């Protein structure tokens, strides 16, 4: 097997909720960190590296120091990873690189958010605010609607093709009691009957915002072995950032995940056909469609035929987002991307209770931020 | 469609650098930057050319013609001030000069189609004249689908 870049030895997740009362993001980060630490079977003083998201709500700056202090850590390596929905996967290879560089031995990657819908949004002075918002384009829905429309115009893909992605996410969410849509499956017809939000995007093709937090602990493969930890290995990674606003995207029907996945596969010596699990970032149905095509598992424009030809459940021939994806699990803001990592770890070590895939060996994990702008791909492997 | 001029919506957050763009827009012109070193057009306005990093950027009137790369008709706006206008359409406009900008698309009785020719139409949105676009019926090529 390919050399392990690092071992993922502990994961933690807070059950997503629609809103929190009186919770702080710091408090939620602390709770999920404790879950990951217990899962890893470590004492907290073993942690000497810390990677955090770009915002902890009440603290816009000095985030690593604030989180370190709150957790009683004194890391010898810490940083903010600011890649939107790709932040979680982006932490994983950075943790491995920091360990490899000799800066630390065991890294806590933690990301999450409280959610009080009345909280004011911070003032925004970026080019999107100046050049998109005045024309009536506020928020991510419009950007992904433009991407979906471009795909439909170029390839003749249909609303039914996209609805299959949302349908499978909801179907898999029925196997995960923590998912926000547990108990609420959706047929293709249900997806097509959901209201138009920004044509051609319908409500069920869009993630539900929730509060939540996710944490992962990594250490070197050698140390994981000496700890007798239940390890999952990072075998390859790729990253690419191409733009911020959708108007500046170099391509509307293929994204930076394409070269990111190519690099991750090249590093691992594996191909997408070797994967036992596809854990693909799914803020919107179009994101999964484009990622499938960019992965090479189906040709450009071919995702609809691919969706019709396979079973994407845990027992299916192509398990996809077995935790429900964010379309079924809910999107805990920036932690949403990390759910694709924690689910892959649980599947690859055989602890995905009630939804375990058969013969788990390798997983493709993707993260995506902004408007198909920020991409991270990971190839993870089960302990040999 | 309601009168867009009556909307109470966020306007441009102009900076010293971008003032000429918005001042021209108020006069019904589309003013973009062009790089004197590499010759390429630049949108949105920047301090340096994103293609070659030259600082020799000059303002030049764009033709106002473009092509619809994609569009969305918005039923649930991201900003509440736009609710009275919903459903309305925004699109990605590939300018004849090369760059792409997002803009408001003035639609007729037919749904817009990706690939259609567009022409700039100065439009009062929330009390400011902005460079919106409309379908350019005089310049449609044979097959735009
Ligand atoms: Zn230039």
């Amino acid at each position: 097997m390919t050399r392990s870049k690092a071992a993922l030895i502990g994961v933690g997740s807070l059950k997503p909720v629609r809103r929190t009362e009186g919770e702080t993001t710091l408090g939620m980060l602390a709770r999920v960190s404790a879950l990951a630490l217990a899962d890893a079977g470590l004492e907290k003083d073993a942690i000497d590296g810390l990677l955090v998201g770009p915002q902890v709500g009440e603290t816009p700056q000095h985030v690593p120091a604030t989180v370190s202090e709150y957790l009683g850590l004194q890391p010898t390596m810490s940083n903010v990873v600011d890649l939107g929905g790709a932040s979680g996967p982006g932490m994983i290879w950075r943790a491995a690189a920091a360990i490899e560089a000799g800066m630390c031995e065991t890294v806590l990657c933690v990301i999450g958010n409280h959610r009080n819908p009345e909280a004011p949004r911070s003032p925004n002075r970026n080019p999107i605010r100046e050049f998109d918002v005045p024309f009536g384009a506020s928020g991510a829905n419009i950007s992904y609607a433009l991407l979906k429309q471009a795909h439909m115009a170029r390839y003749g893909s249909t609303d039914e093709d996209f609805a299959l992605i949302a349908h499978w996410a909801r179907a898999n969410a029925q196997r995960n009691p923590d998912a926000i849509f547990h108990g609420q499956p959706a047929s293709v017809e249900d997806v097509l009957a959901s209201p138009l939000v920004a044509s051609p995007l319908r409500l069920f093709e869009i993630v539900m915002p929730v509060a939540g937090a996710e944490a992962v602990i990594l250490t070197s493969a050698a140390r994981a072995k000496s700890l007798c930890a239940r390890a999952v290995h990072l075998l390859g990674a790729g990253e690419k950032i191409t733009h911020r606003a959708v108007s500046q995207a170099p391509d509307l029907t293929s994204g930076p995940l394409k070269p990111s996945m190519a690099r991750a596969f090249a590093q691992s010596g594996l191909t997408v056909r070797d994967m036992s699990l596809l854990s693909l970032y799914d803020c919107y149905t179009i994101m999964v469609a484009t990622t499938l095509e960019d992965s090479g598992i189906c040709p450009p424009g071919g995702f609809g035929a691919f969706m019709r030809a396979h079973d994407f459940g845990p027992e299916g021939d192509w398990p996809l987002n077995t935790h429900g994806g964010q379309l079924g699990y809910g999107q805990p803001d920036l932690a949403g991307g990390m759910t694709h990592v924690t689910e892959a770890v649980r599947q690859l070590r055989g602890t995905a209770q009630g939804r375990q895939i058969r013969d788990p060996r390798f997983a493709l994990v993707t993260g995506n931020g902004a408007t198909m702008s920020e991409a991270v791909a990971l190839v993870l492997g089960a302990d040999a | 469609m309601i009168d867009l001029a009556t909307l109470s919506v966020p306007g441009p957050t102009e900076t010293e650098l971008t003032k000429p763009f918005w001042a021209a827009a108020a006069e019904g012109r589309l003013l973009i930057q062009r790089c004197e070193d590499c010759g390429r057009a630049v949108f949105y306005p920047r301090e340096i050319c994103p293609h070659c990093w030259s600082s020799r950027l000059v303002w030049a009137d764009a033709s106002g013609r473009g092509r619809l790369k994609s569009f969305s008709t918005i039923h649930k706006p991201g900003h509440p001030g736009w609710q009275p206008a919903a459903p309305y359409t925004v699109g990605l406009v590939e300018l004849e000069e090369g760059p792409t900008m997002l803009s408001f698309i003035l639609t007729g009785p037919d749904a817009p189609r990706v690939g259609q020719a567009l022409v700039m139409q100065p439009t009062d949105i929330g009390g400011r004249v902005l460079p919106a676009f409309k379908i350019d019926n005089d310049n449609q090529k044979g097959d735009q689908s």
Side-chain angles (χ1 to χ4, degrees):
Chain A
M1 192 167 91
T2 323
R3 194 179 70 88
S4 171
K5 293 170 178 287
L8 292 75
I9 58 169
V11 293
S13 302
L14 297 190
K15 182 180 166 69
V17 293
R18 278 291 282 154
R19 63 177 296 150
T20 53
E21 294 291 349
E23 287 241 49
T24 64
T25 295
L26 271 174
M28 293 174 67
L29 294 183
R31 285 198 285 129
V32 78
S33 297
L35 290 176
L37 190 76
D39 186 60
L42 293 177
E43 298 295 323
K44 71 121 170 141
D45 289 339
I47 292 170
D48 56 1
L50 177 68
L51 294 175
V52 292
Q55 54 193 6
V56 294
E58 48 287 306
T59 311
Q61 288 172 332
H62 307 292
V63 176
T66 304
V67 176
S68 293
E69 181 186 276
Y70 197 92
L71 296 176
L73 297 176
Q74 295 189 2
T76 57
M77 183 286 297
S78 71
N79 219 325
V80 169
V81 179
D82 182 5
L83 294 171
S87 299
M91 289 174 181
I92 301 300
W93 79 255
R94 284 173 171 77
I99 294 165
E100 179 76 23
M103 298 306 293
C104 52
E105 218 170 29
T106 302
V107 182
L108 168 65
C109 304
V110 62
I111 189 161
N113 66 291
H114 75 284
R115 187 164 189 276
N116 178 346
E118 278 81 50
R121 291 200 155 214
S122 59
N124 190 339
R125 302 235 359 133
N126 70 26
I128 289 179
R129 172 63 190 84
E130 181 169 2
F131 292 100
D132 293 0
V133 169
F135 295 103
S138 297
N141 291 341
I142 294 168
S143 295
Y144 285 87
L146 293 166
L147 294 173
K148 182 184 174 189
Q149 184 74 257
H151 194 284
M152 295 172 88
R154 177 161 183 186
Y155 295 117
S157 49
T158 66
D159 281 311
E160 287 77 7
D161 295 338
F162 289 96
L164 277 163
I165 293 169
H167 159 67
W168 273 108
R170 290 287 193 99
N172 285 345
Q174 306 317 305
R175 308 282 291 273
N176 181 357
D178 285 348
I180 205 85
F181 286 114
H182 184 72
Q184 296 177 63
S187 65
V188 167
E189 294 70 34
D190 291 336
V191 179
L192 295 175
S194 68
L196 273 171
V197 173
S199 78
L201 268 186
R202 294 179 181 278
L203 184 64
F204 287 11
E205 298 182 82
I206 302 172
V207 284
M208 172 83 82
V210 296
E214 303 282 321
V216 178
I217 293 174
L218 292 95
T219 194
S220 67
R223 184 161 158 80
K225 196 161 195 174
S226 72
L227 291 167
C228 300
R230 292 180 303 183
V232 165
H233 297 278
L234 176 64
L235 304 179
E239 177 170 304
K240 178 127 178 150
I241 293 94
T242 48
H243 63 281
R244 171 66 187 88
V246 69
S247 65
Q248 307 300 307
D251 192 335
L252 297 179
T253 55
S254 173
L257 266 173
K258 185 172 184 176
S260 303
M261 289 187 283
R263 180 177 295 230
F265 285 130
Q267 287 183 3
S268 65
L270 298 165
T271 75
V272 69
R273 303 263 160 211
D274 296 316
M275 298 298 111
S276 327
L277 171 71
L278 302 173
S279 198
L280 308 183
Y281 193 90
D282 62 337
C283 46
Y284 299 86
T285 52
I286 176 63
M287 196 58 222
V288 177
T290 305
T291 304
L292 287 170
E293 294 174 4
D294 278 348
S295 77
I297 206 168
C298 61
F303 87 89
F306 182 78
M307 290 304 298
R308 264 183 275 277
H310 298 282
D311 180 325
F312 299 95
E315 294 85 13
D317 54 334
W318 269 120
L320 166 68
N321 290 343
T322 42
H323 65 312
Q326 297 176 72
L327 286 167
Y329 181 81
Q331 179 173 62
D333 203 60
L334 300 178
M338 194 65 115
T339 68
H340 297 275
V341 177
T342 53
E343 175 67 8
V345 170
R346 293 184 176 107
Q347 290 286 3
L348 290 175
R349 64 187 194 188
T351 60
Q353 284 158 5
R355 57 178 190 274
Q356 181 60 50
I357 64 172
R358 289 169 300 193
D359 189 24
R361 299 186 64 207
F362 304 110
L364 171 65
V365 176
T366 63
N368 162 69
T371 59
M372 204 163 77
S373 318
E374 302 154 325
V376 173
L378 306 173
V379 174
L380 303 182
D383 218 5
Chain B
M1 163 89 63
I2 64 142
D3 182 359
L4 297 170
T6 65
L7 292 174
S8 181
V9 293
T13 51
E14 53 178 58
T15 65
E16 275 306 305
L17 175 78
T18 62
K19 264 184 184 154
F21 174 86
W22 295 113
E27 296 169 3
R29 294 186 298 130
L30 183 63
L31 192 64
I32 64 174
Q33 289 175 311
R34 188 176 57 79
C35 174
E36 291 198 299
D37 279 305
C38 73
R40 295 178 72 174
V42 173
F43 182 87
Y44 48 91
R46 289 161 164 89
E47 289 282 356
I48 63 171
C49 170
H51 308 294
C52 74
W53 283 22
S54 165
S55 57
R56 296 175 61 217
L57 292 169
V58 293
W59 292 103
D61 275 298
S63 70
R65 285 188 295 273
R67 184 188 68 89
L68 189 62
K69 277 172 78 176
S70 191
F71 65 93
S72 174
T73 298
I74 297 159
H75 297 258
K76 297 205 181 332
H79 188 283
W82 278 90
Q83 194 60 55
Y88 63 92
T89 299
V90 300
L92 296 179
V93 183
E94 186 175 55
L95 301 175
E96 194 169 61
E97 290 79 10
T100 296
M101 69 180 285
L102 187 146
S103 188
F104 190 91
I105 307 298
L106 296 149
T107 52
D110 300 325
R113 282 178 290 112
V114 169
Q116 275 182 313
L118 302 172
V119 64
M120 202 260 291
Q121 173 70 54
T123 303
D124 187 329
I125 297 176
R128 291 187 65 145
V129 175
L130 304 181
F133 284 78
K134 65 177 183 183
I135 308 302
D136 185 1
N137 287 314
D138 299 334
N139 277 298
Q140 297 302 333
K141 296 188 192 123
D143 181 17
Q144 295 292 339
S145 62

